[in-house]
Amino acid sequence: MTFSAVLFDCDGVLVDSEPITVRVLRDMLEEEGWVMSYDQCYDWFIGKALPDELPVVREMTGKDLDMEWVMAFRMRRNHALSGEVMPIPGVKAAIEAILREKPGMIACASGADRAKLTLQLGQTGLSDYFGSHVYSGAETARNKPYPDVYLAAARGLGVDPARCVVVEDSVTGATAGMAAGATVLGYCPVAGREEEMRLAGVRQTFRRMDELPALIARLEKENAAQC
């Protein structure tokens, strides 16, 4: 089976935004009384939509924080991102190699809100690769770990989700991709995260973005051999 399309998560896959976002969130939670380390904040929130986590935020802070607080976080986060966010090393070359084999058949499918996606893809010079095929889980009925945003991306490209590769860096996102029926590859640049992605059920993990085009080609050959 040849894959019809490649669907990319955004944060941690296309752009190196997660250290910035987690830092801002940890600081804001500490201001409200929930003190944790960067790693604890990362493990708790990465890959999840903050509005969905408001119940636990209220429980841990003892404050009735609502969407007004979420919007304040987004403003502070976006200010930090606008000055700091960079593309993941090697991602532009990887995208260009994939597009040579699958012209026009890529999408960005993220759990992030539309404003964040527009800011990050624009600042890092990635917007033109995706055109109109940028999908936000904040605009679907259910965000990750549900498959809705990946189903929307596949539908937008006019392909069967089962013939898509999903590139993810979190268990939450990988769960969404697998629930959509796609083949999920786990991008794990930090040592120690491969095992949790494998346990989640991803087809394979990889450490460097420049490995992705060859990995997809090898999986296609393996699929063909099994047919």
Side-chain angles (χ1 to χ4, degrees):
M1 182 185 72
T2 299
F3 296 115
S4 300
V6 181
L7 313 180
F8 292 86
D9 178 37
C10 186
D11 295 287
V13 170
L14 295 174
V15 300
D16 192 15
S17 58
E18 290 174 341
I20 303 166
T21 298
V22 172
R23 184 190 73 220
V24 172
L25 179 58
R26 180 200 59 191
D27 290 350
M28 288 190 66
L29 289 170
E30 185 169 318
E31 290 166 8
E32 301 297 340
W34 185 4
V35 179
M36 68 180 91
S37 69
Y38 172 91
D39 287 342
Q40 288 171 325
C41 191
Y42 181 99
D43 291 340
W44 196 293
F45 289 99
I46 207 67
K48 301 174 183 177
L50 187 55
D52 294 340
E53 299 304 305
L54 274 176
V56 73
V57 170
R58 294 186 188 110
E59 178 183 352
M60 298 301 292
T61 63
K63 297 180 180 179
D64 190 23
L65 301 175
D66 56 15
M67 283 302 298
E68 183 176 347
W69 181 82
V70 172
M71 295 307 295
F73 159 73
R74 288 176 176 173
M75 289 180 62
R76 193 156 147 186
R77 174 205 67 191
N78 288 355
H79 178 74
L81 288 169
S82 66
E84 300 178 46
V85 71
M86 298 290 289
I88 291 291
V91 74
K92 291 184 179 181
I95 289 172
E96 289 167 3
I98 290 167
L99 286 174
R100 286 194 290 272
E101 299 297 321
K102 307 178 192 300
M105 300 308 292
I106 65 169
C108 172
S110 170
D113 56 277
R114 176 69 57 176
K116 185 184 184 190
L117 292 174
T118 300
L119 184 158
Q120 294 184 143
L121 296 177
Q123 180 156 316
T124 55
L126 295 171
S127 294
D128 289 347
Y129 291 117
F130 295 97
S132 63
H133 294 293
V134 177
Y135 301 87
S136 168
E139 297 169 0
T140 60
R142 303 170 300 176
N143 212 328
K144 298 176 183 180
Y146 296 98
D148 301 33
V149 70
Y150 282 119
L151 295 175
R155 187 165 56 250
L157 290 170
V159 297
D160 182 348
R163 295 183 70 91
C164 292
V165 172
V166 161
V167 185
E168 271 285 356
D169 73 319
S170 72
V171 169
T172 300
T175 301
M178 289 182 291
T183 296
V184 180
L185 304 180
Y187 175 55
C188 302
V190 178
R193 300 219 176 257
E194 296 98 335
E195 185 63 20
E196 65 178 0
M197 292 294 274
R198 292 191 193 105
L199 289 173
V202 303
R203 175 78 175 267
Q204 191 161 332
T205 61
F206 64 105
R207 296 288 297 275
R208 300 192 322 272
M209 197 54 69
D210 61 7
E211 299 173 323
L212 180 60
L215 174 56
I216 292 172
R218 180 168 62 77
L219 293 177
E220 289 179 328
K221 289 180 180 179
E222 290 179 2
N223 290 341
Q226 294 171 4
C227 293

